[in-house]
Amino acid sequence: MKKLLFIMLAICICLLAVGQNDTPKVSLDEVAISPPAFTGIKNYVDFSNVDANYLQRYLSENIQYPEKAERCGREGTEVIKFNVNVQGKVTDIDIVNGVCPEIDDELIRVLESTNGMWKPGIKDGIPVAMEQEVSIVFSLSGNAEETNEKFLKVATSCFTQGAECFFEKGKSKKAERLLTRGITYMLYDQSLLLVRGLCRYERGNVAGAREDWSCFIGTGNY
């Protein structure tokens, strides 16, 4: 029986806050841009509009909860970026927020199986490569309400322990590890992002700190 109970998608194109929806084009500086669209059809050549639900349906039907991840109770929000090139193939896959290596590998496997199933992005009538970002919630709970309650509880515990380690005990490395685990459950929680940014800054990871603080103020993406 499949254990992947919830798939929640958040799709971004490049640095634009646009996704696959019923509005096929976004105007930016008077340049018409159409994002890539998943078709579910190999060697797709028709450039007509595509149902935005195809990708969610495909992932739901093909992703299997890895046995080891299920056995170890690994849950959280996986975020992955990739490019869709002009041939409709997935390239440059990058795990932005990983739950565990087994889930990383499973998501990469399924995304790679979509090669040739994408309608490429269009800029001024010309196919161009564009970046996509997909967020997927992996949960072993029975429903969305249980998942939300559990994820909030774990994230809150991680924040409490992480903040204590950082502010009271001065253990920034352990604090960052706890806060990172919390962020896996509550990806955009501002408290977790703010304090992890402080941990990263203290440990010399200025780029990581800026990334967290950009997400904190809403100017960055995972």
Side-chain angles (χ1 to χ4, degrees), residues 180-216:
T180 296
R181 181 168 183 260
I183 289 170
T184 299
Y185 285 84
M186 299 292 290
L187 192 61
Y188 298 105
D189 183 86
Q190 290 188 310
S191 298
L192 288 164
L193 289 167
L194 176 61
V195 181
R196 190 177 73 169
L198 292 172
C199 291
R200 287 179 160 182
Y201 187 83
E202 181 171 291
R203 300 187 64 221
N205 183 1
V206 177
R210 286 175 176 169
E211 181 183 77
D212 281 348
W213 294 336
S214 293
C215 290
F216 170 78

Side-chain angles (χ1 to χ4, degrees), residues 29-94:
D29 296 333
E30 299 182 353
V31 176
I33 297 176
S34 297
F38 181 72
T39 69
I41 303 170
K42 281 286 187 182
N43 302 315
Y44 183 81
V45 294
D46 185 359
F47 283 80
S48 60
N49 290 336
V50 179
D51 185 344
N53 294 322
Y54 285 171
L55 181 58
Q56 182 170 355
R57 190 180 312 129
Y58 186 89
L59 295 177
S60 297
E61 292 173 353
N62 289 277
I63 293 178
Q64 299 287 336
Y65 220 116
E67 183 178 342
K68 183 177 180 180
E70 180 186 351
R71 188 169 62 249
C72 296
R74 301 305 300 267
E75 300 176 290
T77 303
E78 185 93 1
V79 181
I80 191 166
K81 287 183 179 180
F82 56 94
N83 285 331
V84 175
N85 67 18
V86 295
Q87 287 81 36
K89 294 184 178 180
V90 173
T91 65
D92 302 320
I93 296 175
D94 180 37

Side-chain angles (χ1 to χ4, degrees), residues 74-139:
R74 301 305 300 267
E75 300 176 290
T77 303
E78 185 93 1
V79 181
I80 191 166
K81 287 183 179 180
F82 56 94
N83 285 331
V84 175
N85 67 18
V86 295
Q87 287 81 36
K89 294 184 178 180
V90 173
T91 65
D92 302 320
I93 296 175
D94 180 37
I95 301 295
V96 179
N97 189 73
V99 175
C100 66
E102 292 76 25
I103 287 178
D104 294 347
D105 292 343
E106 174 64 6
L107 185 49
I108 290 172
R109 178 190 71 81
V110 175
L111 281 175
E112 288 180 339
S113 74
T114 68
N115 277 333
M117 296 183 181
W118 292 81
K119 166 188 169 184
I122 305 295
K123 181 177 180 180
D124 279 353
I126 301 173
V128 293
M130 287 190 186
E131 185 177 82
Q132 297 273 86
E133 180 177 296
V134 178
S135 300
I136 302 179
V137 175
F138 284 79
S139 173

Side-chain angles (χ1 to χ4, degrees), residues 138-159:
F138 284 79
S139 173
L140 294 168
S141 299
N143 55 55
E145 184 177 352
E146 289 181 10
T147 295
N148 291 335
E149 290 179 359
K150 181 177 182 179
F151 280 24
L152 178 60
K153 182 178 180 179
V154 174
T156 300
S157 176
C158 288
F159 173 77

